[in-house]
């Protein structure tokens, strides 16, 4: 069985990942909105900034979703291992 410190570290890591993934999603939305408004106002710089924010938010979200998938897969394998040992 895992010790208490390991479980606390996992909980903190999960919390940080969820927070950063949420920030990435918000950055994508803000970037998209900035791009749209800047396009309507014919501001090339605003469009560029909006595109950069959107892409950065997407990449951040992609990274943390992949980490979550790997963590969930490890947890699933551990649970299945415990079930099969019975």
């Amino acid at each position: 069985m895992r010790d208490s410190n390991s479980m606390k570290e996992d909980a903190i890591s999960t919390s940080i990942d969820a927070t950063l993934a949420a920030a990435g999603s918000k950055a994508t939305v803000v970037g998209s909105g900035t791009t749209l408004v800047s396009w309507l106002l014919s501001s090339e710089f605003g469009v560029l900034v909006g595109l950069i924010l959107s892409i950065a938010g997407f990449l951040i979200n992609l990274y943390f979703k992949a980490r979550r998938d790997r963590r969930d897969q490890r947890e699933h394998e551990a649970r299945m291992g415990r079930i099969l040992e019975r």
Side-chain angles (χ1 to χ4, degrees):
M1 181 163 237
R2 294 173 24 184
D3 65 348
S4 177
N5 286 336
S6 176
M7 291 172 58
K8 287 179 185 177
E9 289 173 3
D10 285 348
I12 290 170
S13 176
T14 301
S15 176
I16 290 171
D17 286 357
T19 302
L20 293 175
S25 294
K26 287 176 179 66
T28 301
V29 171
V30 168
S32 298
T34 301
T35 300
L36 178 64
V37 170
S38 297
W39 176 72
L40 292 172
L41 297 175
S42 297
S43 171
E44 291 85 9
F45 180 72
V47 170
L48 182 63
V49 169
L51 287 173
I52 290 170
L53 278 174
S54 295
I55 292 169
F58 174 75
L59 293 174
I60 289 169
N61 204 18
L62 185 67
Y63 173 76
F64 284 103
K65 293 293 181 180
R67 280 183 59 162
R68 180 178 177 189
D69 286 345
R70 286 191 301 269
R71 185 175 49 249
D72 289 347
Q73 181 64 31
R74 285 191 310 265
E75 182 179 339
H76 170 72
E77 289 170 358
R79 286 183 182 183
M80 292 305 293
R82 286 193 301 266
I83 289 172
L84 294 175
E85 287 176 355
R86 293 181 187 181

